[in-house]
Amino acid sequence: MAQKARKDRAKSNAAALTNLHIGTLVVNTLFVLFHFLLRKRSILLYVLLSIPSFVCEFVLESSGRPKYDPSTKALQTAGEDLSAPGLTEYMFDVIWVTWASVVMVILFGNWGWLLWTVVPAYGAFKGYSLLGAARGMAGLQGQQPDNAAPVAGNRRQRRAA
């Protein structure tokens, strides 16, 4: 049963990575063709703001790609779960927002890069909320409840308390 789960995760990871690479190829090829054939867009902004997307894609590829034994073609590792919440999900979000920004730049000019400001703004929001939660937990540790001593007596007295 566990082997089936590993195979299913390997298959879904491989499909997700293939779709990710095809999407990246299509969006970036469209931008380069549009830039050189129709209208000039800022290549410097394109390179600077695409680097985080490429780094996220590399990390997802290296951690999520299933690995097979070269001689027997048996599954060695299924890779990390690419549908997991948390950092993996955030990396996919960075890639998709970058794609949307590139499409907006193609359609509306270099002002489309303003959409990319969503990425650091969302990261700052999540970091601030995480910091607030950590402060709240630290404040709770310092407080001791007033009635910390257990109520002695029989069951009826404990229930009444």
Side-chain angles (χ1 to χ4, degrees), residues 31-99:
F31 177 83
V32 170
L33 288 175
F34 190 85
H35 171 76
F36 287 115
L37 298 179
L38 297 175
R39 291 192 172 206
K40 299 288 185 195
R41 303 293 189 222
S42 174
I43 289 291
L44 178 65
L45 281 174
Y46 168 73
V47 170
L48 285 176
L49 296 177
S50 292
I51 287 174
S53 174
F54 294 141
V55 169
C56 288
E57 192 167 349
F58 174 76
V59 169
L60 290 171
E61 170 69 32
S62 61
S63 66
R65 178 67 64 185
K67 294 179 181 47
Y68 296 93
D69 185 15
S71 59
T72 63
K73 306 289 187 218
L75 181 65
Q76 287 180 333
T77 62
E80 296 297 321
D81 187 11
L82 293 182
S83 61
L87 188 59
T88 305
E89 190 176 48
Y90 184 70
M91 285 192 278
F92 273 109
D93 291 345
V94 168
I95 293 169
W96 293 331
V97 168
T98 303
W99 289 356

Side-chain angles (χ1 to χ4, degrees), residues 120-130:
Y122 181 72
F125 168 73
K126 290 301 269 186
Y128 181 75
S129 63
L130 184 65

Side-chain angles (χ1 to χ4, degrees), residues 3-4 22 25 40 48 65 76 79 86 125 135 137 152 161:
Q3 187 69 14
K4 182 181 181 327
I22 289 172
L25 179 69
K40 299 288 185 195
L48 285 176
R65 178 67 64 185
Q76 287 180 333
F125 168 73
R135 283 186 190 156
M137 291 178 72

